[in-house]
Amino acid sequence: MNCEEKTLPYDGFRSLAIYQGVIRDCVHDLKYNNNQSLGDTFSQWLAALIAQENWELDMVTPVPLSAQRYRERGYNQSSLIAKPLAARLHLKCIPIVVRRIRHTPSQVGLSAEERRLNVIGAFEAEKDLVSGKRVLLVDDVMTTGATITSCALALKNAGAKAVYCVTLARHSPRVG
């Protein structure tokens, strides 16, 4: 399938930075070293980025972790960004809008196709909460887009009017 044939289930996507250098170090600090205060700092920058887009939004929700990963880490790094971001945008953050209905192995080290297959059917959205709504989906890093795409598809299948996605960082496209 080539790019022209692929229809993405989200209506807009923005990322703050390329996943390298200081941004990569900060994301690792947030995600693996329990530096939860970084969520508020990142939310300031993301709010400015979203303001430039003029997206009409009704709510903010983080990409969910599996229950197992949440127990291991003790928090969801995407929630630590989504909650202060929602406050800055004067919106509600509703973390239960999308839920992971099955645990998936970590995406780290998987190929693009393995990542896509890994998250197929892994998410479900609450129809009563999203039907007719414009949702901002927040994640920390986008590598291939498999997780964001799967979550956005779950939101659209539950009746979301529009789904917009933001991440702190994204991997740069491969050159050559």
Side-chain angles (χ1 to χ4, degrees):
M1 178 186 304
N2 66 34
C3 290
E4 288 96 30
E5 296 171 346
K6 193 183 282 187
T7 302
L8 297 171
Y10 47 84
D11 300 277
F13 171 82
R14 287 298 308 268
S15 191
L16 188 62
I18 300 297
Y19 187 62
Q20 60 189 18
V22 172
I23 289 291
R24 182 181 182 277
D25 294 344
C26 288
V27 169
H28 274 231
D29 235 21
L30 171 70
K31 192 170 187 170
Y32 302 115
N33 297 330
N34 200 21
N35 188 344
Q36 297 184 26
S37 65
L38 284 170
D40 186 56
T41 300
F42 284 134
S43 76
Q44 292 175 28
W45 300 335
L46 285 171
L49 186 69
I50 292 163
Q52 294 172 3
E53 294 300 317
N54 291 316
W55 292 337
E56 291 186 36
L57 302 167
D58 297 310
M59 70 176 71
V60 177
T61 193
V63 167
L65 290 179
S66 69
Q68 178 181 331
R69 187 101 357 92
Y70 188 88
R71 280 191 303 274
E72 291 167 2
R73 195 169 291 153
Y75 60 94
N76 177 349
Q77 72 279 359
S78 296
S79 286
L80 296 176
I81 304 159
K83 287 176 184 177
L85 178 57
R88 290 178 192 289
L89 299 173
H90 307 288
L91 296 169
K92 287 184 180 178
C93 180
I94 308 175
I96 60 168
V97 167
V98 180
R99 72 178 185 277
R100 213 176 263 263
I101 55 175
R102 68 177 173 79
H103 176 73
T104 56
S106 172
Q107 299 275 72
V108 174
L110 299 180
S111 71
E113 181 63 10
E114 289 168 331
R115 285 171 179 261
R116 188 185 68 74
L117 293 172
N118 190 36
V119 293
I120 287 177
F123 301 97
E124 190 173 80
E126 293 294 328
K127 185 174 186 161
D128 294 343
L129 296 174
V130 301
S131 185
K133 303 290 187 198
R134 297 161 300 191
V135 181
L136 178 64
L137 182 64
V138 179
D139 204 4
D140 56 349
V141 177
M142 184 176 93
T143 303
T144 63
T147 300
I148 286 272
T149 298
S150 189
C151 287
L153 185 59
L155 286 161
K156 287 288 183 102
N157 287 341
K161 181 177 180 177
V163 178
Y164 299 95
C165 307
V166 294
T167 65
L168 298 177
R170 66 177 173 76
H171 281 262
S172 62
R174 288 197 170 99
V175 178

